[in-house]
């Protein structure tokens, strides 16, 4: 789907112009306005999806990259015993873009870059805070001879290391629209 064609705007249109086109189309095609038209709901769904795709800068950049790529014809696939490929794909097939896995997924739809804003605030602040509090708890636990405080400090240090190690995975999952939104 070309979201620019759905909204009727040029590819170099600014976001304000895209928003105006979305609002105008939504006012004309909303199912509440069009009444008994059975195609109104589907048309409104496409308009909403196009706006969602173009309103996010990362998503729009990925769409622009996908739409600017020249289309390459796919290599014919011979049918094997189960109707699939009879031979496994070669590296040349995969990297040249001639191999389709036949599972219905389009891997080119989500090639957005990972942005720094995708890490949740509790994780962005929690890991450094656990580290600092853990260091102080260890120092005071050693100085005062409090093993409970020492254990708490070591536990907090371990938690901060875990949060630091998990943060790239959380960013990756969130940037790809995963369940951690």
């Amino acid at each position: 789907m070309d979201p620019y064609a759905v909204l009727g705007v040029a590819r170099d249109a600014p976001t304000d112009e895209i928003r105006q086109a979305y609002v105008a189309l939504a006012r004309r095609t909303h199912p509440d306005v069009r009444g008994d038209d059975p195609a109104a709901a589907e048309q409104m769904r496409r308009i909403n999806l196009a706006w969602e795709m173009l309103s996010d800068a990362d998503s729009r950049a990925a769409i622009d990259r996908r739409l600017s790529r020249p289309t390459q014809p796919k290599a014919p696939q011979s049918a094997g015993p189960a109707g699939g490929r009879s031979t496994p794909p070669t590296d040349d097939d995969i990297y040249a873009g001639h191999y389709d896995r036949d599972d219905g997924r389009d891997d080119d739809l989500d090639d957005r870059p990972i942005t720094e804003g995708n890490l949740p605030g509790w994780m962005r602040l929690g890991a450094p805070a656990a580290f600092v509090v853990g260091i102080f708890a260890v120092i005071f636990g050693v100085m005062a001879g409090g093993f409970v405080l020492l254990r708490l400090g070591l536990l907090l240090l371990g938690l901060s290391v875990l949060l630091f190690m998990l943060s790239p995975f959380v960013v990756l999952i969130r940037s790809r629209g995963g369940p951690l939104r």
Side-chain angles (χ1 to χ4, degrees):
M1 175 176 97
D2 182 358
Y4 294 105
V6 171
L7 295 178
V9 295
R11 289 190 182 163
D12 60 347
T15 306
D16 290 339
E17 183 180 327
I18 294 172
R19 184 180 321 119
Q20 289 172 356
Y22 164 72
V23 169
L25 279 172
R27 285 183 180 156
R28 285 196 317 259
T29 60
H30 197 278
D32 291 343
V33 173
R34 296 199 32 203
D36 293 336
D37 187 2
E42 176 61 25
Q43 197 171 11
M44 192 65 207
R45 187 193 65 75
R46 292 188 74 217
I47 292 169
N48 284 334
L49 180 61
W51 166 246
E52 184 178 321
M53 293 167 76
L54 295 179
S55 64
D56 178 55
D58 291 339
S59 175
R60 184 175 179 184
I63 290 165
D64 290 343
R65 285 192 301 273
R66 182 174 52 96
L67 291 175
S68 67
R69 270 188 256 164
T71 58
Q72 298 176 348
K74 295 198 182 223
Q77 298 179 1
S78 61
R85 288 181 64 101
S86 60
T87 60
T90 64
D91 287 342
D92 292 335
D93 289 337
I94 294 170
Y95 293 121
H98 299 299
Y99 175 63
D100 186 12
R101 287 188 315 236
D102 294 332
D103 64 358
R105 294 188 325 190
D106 186 0
D107 291 334
D108 294 336
L109 289 180
D110 199 12
D111 61 352
R112 294 177 287 171
I114 297 173
T115 59
E116 66 180 80
N118 286 335
L119 191 61
W122 64 267
M123 198 167 198
R124 192 178 309 132
L125 298 175
F131 181 77
V132 170
V133 172
I135 289 290
F136 282 116
V138 167
I139 291 171
F140 289 125
V142 168
M143 287 174 48
F147 290 109
V148 173
L149 197 56
L150 179 65
R151 287 184 188 147
L152 177 67
L154 292 174
L155 181 69
L156 286 172
L157 287 175
L159 177 67
S160 70
V161 168
L162 180 67
L163 288 175
F164 277 121
M165 290 175 63
L166 288 178
S167 62
F169 299 107
V170 171
V171 169
L172 182 64
I173 290 169
R174 287 175 55 107
S175 71
R176 302 301 185 218
L180 299 174
R181 279 242 173 237

